[in-house]
């Protein structure tokens, strides 16, 4: 049986009896559940004739506190993030509270051995005929209904027909898929034209000639490249390894890199023999 919150509230209960936004009503219901003041853990949100929303509890009525509802339709299958963010600000402040504590047993006592969606299962739930949202199973309410929690923190109640298993390939958001594709794509860093080709290094093949310095301000670095290649072709690898490069500008660093490439090439050649 469904019941609605009565206008005759307890003296110390500040929860409004109706709300300007569906989101505020849901937050108020969850707060009552968390504080142990709710008549049940299963509820719905019903629009009223005056445009406001009220909480409908699925439980037996308590005399003096609730009155029976003849309308069993519950509208709880919306993500709270869809509600207007500033609607009923004063009610949102009154309804804000901690997330509901998970129940150790299903609300209806339904047998767990037949539970298709155990607590914590990542699923997709249908909010509209062709609209699905990611969620996590929060708890089983009865033989037909499960409560889920959205990534945004809100909750909703769904029947089994409106729940499906989460598939990362199908259900991941486009942004997540793009990030995953970028993460798996091989990264190629730009190669300096003064460095030796990586394929030549792996093959242990010396280049035919040293790279040519084109900078008019640094032509004197050409002799370092030529000298290193000449030592390598002569097989004097100790001299290549001990070759000193002074300076800290970009060209001196490129000469040092060229020396390291030659040594790596030699190591690859030795390993292949």
């Amino acid at each position: 049986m469904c019941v609605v919150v009565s206008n005759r509230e307890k003296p110390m209960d500040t929860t409004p009896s109706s709300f300007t936004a569906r989101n505020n009503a849901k937050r108020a219901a969850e707060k009552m559940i968390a504080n142990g003041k709710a008549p049940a853990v299963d509820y719905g949100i019903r629009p009223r004739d005056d445009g406001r929303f009220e909480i409908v509890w699925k439980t037996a009525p308590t005399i003096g506190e609730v009155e029976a509802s003849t309308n069993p339709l519950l509208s709880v299958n919306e993500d709270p993030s869809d509600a207007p963010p500033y609607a009923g600000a004063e009610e949102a402040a009154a309804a804000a509270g901690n997330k509901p504590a998970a129940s150790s047993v299903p609300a209806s006592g339904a047998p767990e051995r037949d539970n298709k969606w155990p607590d914590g299962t990542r699923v997709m739930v249908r909010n509209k005929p062709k609209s699905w949202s990611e969620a996590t199973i929060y708890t089983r309410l009865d033989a037909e209904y499960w409560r889920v929690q959205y990534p945004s923190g809100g909750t909703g109640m769904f029947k089994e027909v409106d729940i499906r298993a989460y598939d990362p390939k199908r259900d991941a958001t486009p942004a997540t898929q793009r990030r995953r594709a970028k993460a798996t794509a091989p990264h190629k860093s730009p190669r300096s034209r003064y460095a030796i080709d990586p394929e030549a290094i792996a093959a242990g093949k010396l280049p035919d000639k040293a790279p040519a310095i084109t900078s008019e301000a640094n032509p004197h670095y050409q002799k370092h490249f030529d000298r290193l290649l000449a030592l390598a072709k002569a097989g004097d690898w100790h001299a290549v390894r001990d070759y000193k490069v002074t300076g800290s500008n970009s060209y001196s660093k490129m000469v040092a890199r060229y020396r390291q490439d030659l040594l790596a090439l030699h190591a690859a050649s030795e390993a292949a023999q």
Side-chain angles (χ1 to χ4, degrees):
M1 179 178 293
C2 300
V3 297
V4 298
V5 176
S6 171
N7 289 333
R8 295 171 294 177
E9 304 173 10
K10 295 180 180 180
M12 298 303 293
D13 189 357
T14 59
T15 304
S17 60
S18 64
F19 305 82
T20 58
R22 185 187 304 274
N23 183 42
N24 293 337
K26 294 183 69 174
R27 293 171 62 189
E30 297 293 351
K31 181 181 180 182
M32 293 175 65
I33 294 174
N35 294 338
K37 297 180 180 180
V41 295
D42 191 3
Y43 70 90
I45 307 299
R46 184 177 63 183
R48 303 197 322 182
D49 293 338
D50 58 3
R52 295 175 69 84
F53 298 87
E54 61 186 1
I55 304 171
V56 181
W57 301 97
K58 290 184 65 177
T59 184
T62 303
I63 299 176
E65 294 185 1
V66 293
E67 58 186 12
S69 171
T70 58
N71 184 357
L73 298 178
L74 304 179
S75 302
V76 296
N77 294 355
E78 287 91 7
D79 187 331
S81 61
D82 295 336
Y86 299 106
E90 72 285 352
E91 296 167 355
N98 297 328
K99 295 180 181 179
S103 174
S104 59
V105 296
S108 63
E112 284 300 312
R113 64 178 180 275
D114 298 327
N115 188 0
K116 183 178 180 179
W117 306 110
D119 295 357
T121 303
R122 194 177 185 183
V123 296
M124 297 294 290
V125 293
R126 178 162 44 198
N127 293 308
K128 299 176 183 178
K130 295 183 179 181
S131 175
W132 293 81
S133 299
E134 180 183 345
T136 302
I137 296 296
Y138 179 69
T139 189
R140 190 182 188 184
L141 298 174
D142 56 29
E144 296 183 359
Y145 287 90
W146 283 260
R147 183 171 300 286
V148 304
Q149 188 168 35
Y150 297 101
S152 61
T155 64
M157 184 179 70
F158 293 87
K159 296 183 68 173
E160 181 176 349
V161 69
D162 294 320
I163 305 175
R164 76 183 187 200
Y166 178 86
D167 184 342
K169 294 182 179 180
R170 176 191 60 197
D171 300 322
T173 62
T176 302
Q177 292 173 340
R178 287 195 296 270
R179 287 195 299 269
R180 186 178 297 127
K182 289 181 179 180
T184 56
H187 176 69
K188 294 183 179 180
S189 54
R191 184 172 63 89
S192 170
R193 63 190 181 91
Y194 297 103
I196 301 177
D197 186 270
E199 294 183 1
I201 294 176
K205 182 180 179 181
L206 285 169
D208 295 331
K209 58 182 180 179
I213 299 296
T214 58
S215 172
E216 296 181 357
N218 299 279
H220 53 285
Y221 279 97
Q222 183 67 57
K223 63 181 180 181
H224 295 295
F225 287 99
D226 294 339
R227 178 61 177 164
L228 281 169
L229 182 58
L231 291 171
K233 287 184 176 182
D236 192 352
W237 293 104
H238 290 290
V240 173
R241 185 174 292 104
D242 296 337
Y243 193 88
K244 301 299 181 182
V245 181
T246 59
S248 59
N249 62 16
S250 59
Y251 278 90
S252 62
K253 293 178 180 178
M254 286 187 287
V255 172
R257 168 66 185 275
Y258 189 73
R259 180 187 60 190
Q260 292 302 115
D261 285 352
L262 287 171
L263 293 173
L265 182 151
H266 175 62
S269 177
E270 291 289 313
Q273 294 179 1

